[in-house]
Amino acid sequence: MIPGQNPGLVLWRDLSPLPTPLKTPTSSSPHILIVGGGVTGLTTAWTLLDKGYRVTIVAKEWASYGKEQRLTSQIAGALWEFPPAVCGQHTDAISLAHSKRWCMIAYHIWDALSANKLSGVQMKPAVFFFPCQIETDSAKLTKMHEIIASGVRGFRRDPGIRHERRVNPSFDVVDAYEHLAPIIDTDAAMAFLKDLVTAKGAKFVTRTIRGDLFSQEHALRREFAADAIVNASGLASAELAADDSCYPIRGGLLRVINDGRDFPKVTSALSIGADRVHRASEIVFLVPRNDNILLIGGFTEPHEGKLDLTLESPIIKRMRARCEAFLPDLKDARLDPEYPLAQGLRPFRQRNVRVERELRQHGPNKAPSMVVHSYGQGGSGWSLAFGCAGDVATLVDEALQDLPARPMAGEPGRQEVVDLRDESGDQVRARL
């Protein structure tokens, strides 16, 4: 852990899955406005509510459960992964330094929540396959050692796993390890989270907020009687945080029936990284979403913002073909007739995941902003959610105590200089 960092949330000490907040708010308790209704916004709301804050969440849309396009948080594969994730883009030092801590906080909370069927969380084996002995790749070897030391349950390294999981013997798999991981039914989990924060007292406002939050901060705080604002808006942070480093990475998943009738039921998540398959942006990623649905993926298309993929799109056909080559049983898989293709835009940013107070200051007196940001989690929102929420709560506390904002730190001794603009439009520099 980096010196001075928040040690993170612990279920029952800092969070309660019961419908009443751990600390009951009063009419004078600080009121926090959260912008964004995805997993980042809802887990942040839960954290702040249990700290005794009053919370209002504003979002342009909420989780839905029909055939129409669903929230990005619902589209996610939602397999917990130790960073860097198989289909992730977070490889910079700042993101990795934080994400390794954030993901373990989330691991233990999701693990505990898996005892509640309503949470949508199940602990299942997650298997990672490799085309060479792990010792021949220093990065993969280091990651494996970090996973072993991290506290995950059920770690086992055994090349024979490929036979146990019915992987095609002609597919170039040489090594493998597995461990228990949270696998999250995102539809069920989003309903669980929203119901929970509603019971704890959160208010919901359906509305699209446009423009830089910093420039309209005072107006929004007056309108909502808010003491601070949390930006958990995902891709919209390009506008709401005036951050032009935000960009989408399109992804898609096929949903097939996994009831054991057409092929032996897949009960473990199975994946192999992009260094083995068609191209660097296309992987094998199989996740048993719930009792009867298996997700087949995946791919990454940076800077592609349209949701216009179909079952006939070449990238979707390639995805299915390589997954069938990896696991031949899938050649008999039936698509889910209700919702066969899920597609969404992962919210990335070029530098790193941002969990940080707004660094710009207001007016000639340089008054600090009361905006706290949490965005850029990309395809790892479910893996990082509670870790990020705990840091957001600490930053909200600091803002309410009128402490100065400080740049997000990375590895000790490492800094990154970025350009920002203050309220007057003048360029300022900050070290991240």
Side-chain angles (χ1 to χ4, degrees):
M1 183 186 303
I2 296 172
Q5 282 189 333
N6 176 14
L9 303 175
V10 176
L11 195 68
W12 296 111
R13 185 194 72 185
D14 307 300
L15 294 174
S16 165
L18 299 178
T20 54
L22 278 176
K23 183 178 180 181
T24 303
T26 68
S27 58
S28 61
S29 296
H31 181 210
I32 312 302
L33 176 66
I34 297 175
V35 182
V39 62
T40 300
L42 293 182
T43 52
T44 300
W46 179 1
T47 303
L48 294 174
L49 288 161
D50 272 346
K51 286 177 64 69
Y53 290 125
R54 295 175 295 132
V55 170
T56 295
I57 308 172
V58 59
K60 67 176 182 180
E61 57 187 344
W62 311 94
S64 61
Y65 303 94
K67 296 182 180 180
E68 68 276 10
Q69 178 65 36
R70 300 182 187 182
L71 288 184
T72 299
S73 291
Q74 294 176 269
I75 299 303
L79 165 67
W80 180 92
E81 290 189 72
F82 192 88
V86 169
C87 61
Q89 303 284 319
H90 295 136
T91 57
D92 64 279
I94 292 179
S95 282
L96 289 178
H98 289 284
S99 296
K100 290 174 183 179
R101 176 176 59 91
W102 287 333
C103 79
M104 291 312 304
I105 293 167
Y107 182 93
H108 293 301
I109 293 176
W110 291 127
D111 188 5
L113 289 173
S114 68
N116 182 346
K117 290 185 178 180
L118 294 178
S119 71
V121 185
Q122 297 184 62
M123 298 296 291
K124 295 184 178 183
V127 187
F128 301 90
F129 296 95
F130 304 92
C132 59
Q133 289 290 323
I134 295 173
E135 283 79 5
T136 65
D137 187 314
S138 61
K140 290 180 173 60
L141 181 63
T142 297
K143 179 178 176 178
M144 183 181 74
H145 287 160
E146 289 178 331
I147 290 173
I148 293 171
S150 69
V152 302
R153 297 195 287 119
F155 182 89
R156 176 172 72 109
R157 179 187 178 186
D158 183 355
I161 296 175
R162 65 185 185 273
H163 303 301
E164 299 171 14
R165 299 301 190 272
R166 301 173 63 88
V167 173
N168 186 347
S170 66
F171 204 92
D172 189 13
V173 169
V174 173
D175 212 342
Y177 60 71
E178 70 176 14
H179 58 76
L180 288 176
I183 296 179
I184 302 165
D185 179 341
T186 55
D187 289 339
M190 288 295 290
F192 168 79
L193 290 171
K194 191 176 181 186
D195 288 347
L196 183 63
V197 299
T198 299
K200 289 178 181 289
K203 307 299 181 185
F204 296 85
V205 176
T206 303
R207 172 176 159 188
T208 301
I209 294 180
R210 305 301 304 266
D212 186 358
L213 288 176
F214 175 75
S215 65
Q216 57 186 317
E217 175 183 344
H218 298 311
L220 286 171
R221 287 179 57 198
R222 283 194 300 269
E223 178 182 353
F224 288 95
D227 297 281
I229 300 172
V230 174
N231 169 35
S233 63
L235 268 180
S237 293
E239 179 177 352
L240 297 184
D243 186 347
D244 60 9
S245 76
C246 294
Y247 65 100
I249 295 185
R250 184 167 70 174
L253 297 164
L254 291 173
R255 293 165 54 95
V256 301
I257 304 301
N258 187 34
D259 59 6
R261 291 172 52 194
D262 304 303
F263 56 89
K265 189 166 185 174
V266 177
T267 58
S268 303
L270 311 174
S271 65
I272 183 167
D275 53 356
R276 164 60 182 86
V277 291
H278 178 74
R279 58 186 67 177
S281 61
E282 301 184 18
I283 65 170
V284 170
F285 184 75
L286 307 175
V287 180
R289 166 52 56 86
N290 53 35
D291 290 340
N292 291 310
I293 295 293
L294 176 71
L295 301 182
I296 295 179
F299 58 86
T300 58
E301 292 186 294
H303 304 287
E304 178 56 73
K306 294 181 180 179
L307 294 175
D308 57 1
L309 296 171
T310 72
L311 294 174
E312 298 304 313
S313 297
I315 198 168
I316 298 297
K317 287 186 171 182
R318 288 199 305 271
M319 180 176 73
R320 181 160 190 171
R322 70 175 171 274
C323 289
E324 290 176 355
F326 174 77
L327 193 69
D329 290 340
L330 296 179
K331 292 179 180 179
D332 296 321
R334 287 174 294 131
L335 291 170
D336 175 12
E338 294 297 315
Y339 196 49
L341 173 63
Q343 56 183 307
L345 306 177
R346 305 175 183 98
F348 277 88
R349 71 192 294 258
Q350 291 172 359
R351 288 186 288 272
N352 50 274
V353 181
R354 188 183 187 191
V355 180
E356 178 182 59
R357 286 175 62 188
E358 175 59 59
L359 298 175
R360 292 172 291 177
Q361 298 172 320
H362 291 288
N365 295 327
K366 303 296 183 182
S369 171
M370 300 296 284
V371 173
V372 176
H373 297 286
S374 182
Y375 65 90
Q377 287 85 354
S380 299
W382 290 92
S383 293
L384 306 180
F386 287 107
C388 292
D391 280 10
V392 168
T394 297
L395 295 173
V396 168
D397 289 345
E398 291 179 1
L400 295 175
Q401 295 172 42
D402 293 324
L403 296 175
R406 46 194 171 84
M408 189 175 179
E411 293 181 326
R414 182 183 188 279
Q415 292 183 319
E416 179 181 353
V417 179
V418 299
D419 292 326
L420 301 169
R421 293 192 180 275
D422 64 17
E423 192 175 40
S424 66
D426 293 333
Q427 190 175 67
V428 295
R429 308 206 86 191
R431 293 188 179 275
L432 303 184

